[in-house]
Amino acid sequence: MKEFEATITDLAHDGRGVARIDGKTVFVSGALLGEQVRLGIRKRHRNFDEAETLEVLERSPHRVEPQCAHFGQCGGCSLQHLDAPAQIQAKQRVLSDNFARIGKVEPKRWLEPLTDAPWGYRRKGRLSVRAVAKKGRVLVGFREESNPRFVADISHCEVVHPAIGSRIGLLAELIGGLDAANDIPQIEFAAGDDTVALVFRHLKPLSERDSQALVAFGKAHGLAIYLQPGGVSSVHPLWPEQPRLTFRLPAGEGVADVELEFQPLDFVQVNAGMNRRMLARTMELLDPQPTDRVLDLFCGLGNFTLPIARRVAEVAGVEGEHGLVERAAANAARNGIANATFHVANLFEDQRGSAWARAGWDKILLDPPRAGAEQVLEYLPRKGTDRIVYVSCHPASLARDAGLLVHRHGFELTAAGVMDMFPHTAHVESIALFERR
């Protein structure tokens, strides 16, 4: 490994430090802005190199001791060594840079960043499983930071829901003792308010002994156990017979009380506390009125749709996954909400002929995946829509779509800000308000 000393002149969008060596950009894991480090080059590319920090020669004043003993080995977090205020500033800078560079826009007003509990927040995720012959045991965890082909050797996780994060070592021991130790590639976890579920993907049928061991583990630790022998539709409970995963969005801060039921592989916002704060801010920006007709695109289970319905004349949710739409409609019925309708539609295809797309909407809420909402913005918003709230999990696609709304559709980017949905990672979740000029 070739070693160099360098000054870190920037922080990349993935949380790595940026240095220049002989005119070439080097991305340095474990290094912070302003630090002088000794680094080792671990991978060379034509236009850039990748390196790791071997020694910090001059420390950043924002450097802190990572809480997790596995930081630097496990790739689940990239910013535990950076203090919380600096993490937020870095994410705000990423959002601002993307607006300026990609969308050629700037918000009139920056919103105060939203934050919540930084530890034990992750209620959804996937743990990799690997039986490692050289170690003579099974590893359960996230991928290694330096080599994503390998599973990090960890015993616990500080950011995962405590019911799971504190038991990762026990899960490894459990699987290591199964007949199917080599046939379980992953475990997905999902935490509701009262039930925490584990979904074991298995490539071959489980023996009766293995099934009993999984049930015993679930009973001992108060966890619901699901099996997944094939695709998503094959997921089914092993114990108990009918587990129920739910989360409640409590009344207050502009949000009416609703309860949503979901399946363990359904998309739900990873951070429950941040989801409640995000919902309150969305309501503040959307400003729903009793006479409003609102369109909620990429609605999922109705996380936004149902609270909005409590305050408007009509709301329609549109989502591409049939199962999510079914459960959203069931959640509406369960909460006694009759003014919400749901539609299945692939929003990455032209849907302008659909009745919901031709209708007039006072306000639109967008919460797309990383790809953004570019296709939808080819035919929406229609005349009469004067306010759009955009919740984003990818600043580049938000910036691109902001440019479309401002430069093509006649909107103004009134306000924007970051929401720390994934503390200690470089992931940037954000929200933006657009108003008709």
Side-chain angles (χ1 to χ4, degrees), residues 99 103-109 285 381 385-390 398 401-416 431-437:
F99 276 144
K104 305 295 189 293
V105 295
E106 182 179 352
K108 288 184 63 177
R109 172 172 63 99
L285 297 178
T385 300
D386 58 10
R387 182 173 291 234
I388 296 173
V389 173
Y390 193 130
L398 169 60
D401 295 346
L404 294 174
L405 285 167
V406 170
H407 303 308
R408 182 187 299 179
H409 292 291
F411 280 79
E412 183 174 44
L413 177 53
T414 307
I431 191 167
L433 169 63
F434 299 86
E435 293 182 279
R436 180 83 67 178
R437 283 198 292 266

Side-chain angles (χ1 to χ4, degrees), residues 6-148:
T7 299
I8 305 303
T9 58
D10 200 358
L11 199 63
H13 291 179
D14 62 3
R16 292 183 293 180
V18 180
R20 299 280 293 182
I21 297 177
D22 297 330
K24 192 175 185 181
T25 298
V26 182
F27 295 102
V28 189
S29 63
L32 298 175
L33 177 64
E35 292 187 328
Q36 183 78 12
V37 301
R38 183 168 62 87
L39 59 87
I41 303 292
R42 67 187 185 199
K43 190 177 293 186
R44 292 191 179 276
H45 304 271
R46 176 177 295 182
N47 298 317
F48 66 93
D49 292 335
E50 297 180 78
E52 60 183 281
T53 300
L54 302 177
E55 182 182 3
V56 178
L57 304 173
E58 294 183 19
R59 293 170 60 94
S60 163
H62 300 292
R63 178 176 283 273
V64 295
E65 191 66 27
Q67 181 162 317
C68 180
H70 303 300
F71 178 74
Q73 175 201 9
C74 173
C77 296
S78 59
L79 293 176
Q80 280 196 30
H81 59 319
L82 184 63
D83 67 38
Q87 286 188 34
I88 293 297
Q89 289 173 12
K91 295 179 182 187
Q92 191 91 1
R93 187 173 68 251
V94 168
L95 181 60
S96 177
D97 289 349
N98 276 271
F99 276 144
R101 180 172 52 86
I102 299 173
K104 305 295 189 293
V105 295
E106 182 179 352
K108 288 184 63 177
R109 172 172 63 99
W110 283 104
L111 300 168
E112 187 72 19
L114 288 184
T115 61
D116 202 74
W119 304 106
Y121 65 82
R122 187 163 190 147
R123 63 174 171 180
K124 277 276 292 178
R126 175 182 296 172
L127 299 168
S128 297
V129 180
R130 181 72 58 85
V132 182
K134 289 184 179 180
K135 292 180 179 285
R137 57 192 176 88
V138 167
L139 301 182
V140 174
F142 298 108
R143 297 289 177 170
E144 285 189 358
E145 189 275 332
S146 60
N147 194 336

Side-chain angles (χ1 to χ4, degrees), residues 49-356:
D49 292 335
E50 297 180 78
E52 60 183 281
T53 300
L54 302 177
E55 182 182 3
V56 178
L57 304 173
E58 294 183 19
R59 293 170 60 94
S60 163
H62 300 292
R63 178 176 283 273
V64 295
E65 191 66 27
Q67 181 162 317
C68 180
H70 303 300
F71 178 74
Q73 175 201 9
C74 173
C77 296
S78 59
L79 293 176
Q80 280 196 30
H81 59 319
L82 184 63
D83 67 38
Q87 286 188 34
I88 293 297
Q89 289 173 12
K91 295 179 182 187
Q92 191 91 1
R93 187 173 68 251
V94 168
L95 181 60
S96 177
D97 289 349
N98 276 271
F99 276 144
R101 180 172 52 86
I102 299 173
K104 305 295 189 293
V105 295
E106 182 179 352
K108 288 184 63 177
R109 172 172 63 99
W110 283 104
L111 300 168
E112 187 72 19
L114 288 184
T115 61
D116 202 74
W119 304 106
Y121 65 82
R122 187 163 190 147
R123 63 174 171 180
K124 277 276 292 178
R126 175 182 296 172
L127 299 168
S128 297
V129 180
R130 181 72 58 85
V132 182
K134 289 184 179 180
K135 292 180 179 285
R137 57 192 176 88
V138 167
L139 301 182
V140 174
F142 298 108
R143 297 289 177 170
E144 285 189 358
E145 189 275 332
S146 60
N147 194 336
R149 293 180 302 165
F150 299 133
V151 178
D153 188 356
I154 67 176
S155 60
H156 64 279
C157 178
E158 299 286 352
V159 299
V160 167
H161 189 290
I164 305 300
S166 63
R167 294 185 170 95
I168 290 177
L170 295 177
L171 281 169
E173 291 178 13
L174 167 70
I175 296 174
L178 299 180
D179 299 328
N182 292 299
D183 301 315
I184 297 178
Q186 68 188 41
I187 305 167
E188 301 214 29
F189 61 89
D193 290 347
D194 302 311
T195 302
V196 179
L198 296 175
V199 182
F200 291 83
R201 174 76 174 99
H202 55 100
L203 305 179
K204 296 179 182 178
L206 296 182
S207 65
E208 181 61 27
R209 172 180 172 274
D210 283 359
S211 294
Q212 290 177 359
L214 293 177
V215 169
F217 187 87
K219 289 180 176 179
H221 298 284
L223 302 169
I225 305 296
Y226 288 75
L227 300 180
Q228 184 185 357
V232 172
S233 62
S234 72
V235 174
H236 62 279
L238 176 65
W239 184 87
E241 288 186 7
Q242 294 182 318
R244 187 168 180 260
L245 286 165
T246 64
F247 64 91
R248 184 168 290 279
L249 299 171
E253 297 185 71
V255 180
D257 183 90
V258 296
E259 183 184 71
L260 282 78
E261 186 170 338
F262 65 102
Q263 295 299 311
L265 298 193
D266 284 347
F267 172 81
V268 298
Q269 295 291 347
V270 160
N271 188 324
M274 180 52 61
N275 185 49
R276 289 190 288 269
R277 293 178 63 82
M278 177 176 69
L279 182 55
R281 173 154 289 178
T282 299
M283 288 296 196
E284 173 192 341
L285 297 178
L286 192 65
D287 190 27
Q289 299 299 313
T291 58
D292 280 344
R293 301 180 73 248
V294 179
L295 181 63
D296 179 10
L297 299 177
F298 308 94
C299 70
L301 290 162
N303 185 62
F304 293 107
T305 327
L306 301 187
I308 290 171
R310 299 281 202 200
R311 298 179 56 182
V312 301
E314 178 186 354
V315 60
V318 185
E319 165 63 43
E321 188 178 331
H322 191 274
L324 288 177
V325 171
E326 285 186 343
R327 286 185 279 284
N331 280 325
R334 191 176 298 112
N335 284 275
I337 294 172
N339 62 333
T341 58
F342 294 92
H343 309 271
V344 180
N346 183 348
L347 294 172
F348 297 104
E349 296 177 353
D350 192 335
Q351 299 290 340
R352 72 186 75 205
S354 302
W356 58 263

